[in-house]
Amino acid sequence: MLPAPDTKKVQALKERVNGHLLEARLSRGTDWVKSVDNFYEAINDLKTLSNEVPPISEVRWRIFGIIIGILTIISSISAIRYIHNLIKIGA
């Protein structure tokens, strides 16, 4: 029921994050400013990546709605059968 994230965009963002982290780790001992900049870019890419997927609260709310819907259908069927049996017995 939720729109799927664009797999190409997600894969590209994951590769960019991994690239930034690799560069940050490689330059950690030599150029700490470049290392910090790469970590910062990785964090920004991760924020962009997190915007591609729905938040967990939205997923939980949708699951709750589905469960309530199923329970409503089951209780409606039970109520209809009960009323049908009452009518059949009374007639």
Side-chain angles (χ1 to χ4, degrees), residues 61-81:
W61 180 249
R62 297 283 177 112
I63 291 172
F64 176 74
I66 290 170
I67 291 171
I68 293 299
I70 291 170
L71 291 175
T72 302
I73 291 170
I74 291 171
S75 64
S76 297
I77 292 171
S78 298
I80 290 171
R81 284 185 180 170

Side-chain angles (χ1 to χ4, degrees), residues 10-26 38-39 41-43 45-46 49:
V10 169
Q11 186 63 29
L13 283 170
K14 285 170 71 174
E15 289 175 5
R16 281 183 55 185
V17 168
N18 286 335
H20 287 305
L21 291 176
L22 181 63
E23 286 294 321
R25 289 180 183 131
L26 290 176
N38 280 318
F39 276 121
E41 290 298 321
I43 290 170
D45 288 340
L46 284 172
L49 184 61

Side-chain angles (χ1 to χ4, degrees), residues 22-36 38:
L22 181 63
E23 286 294 321
R25 289 180 183 131
L26 290 176
S27 62
R28 184 174 49 195
T30 56
D31 188 7
W32 66 270
V33 175
K34 183 179 176 185
S35 178
V36 170
N38 280 318

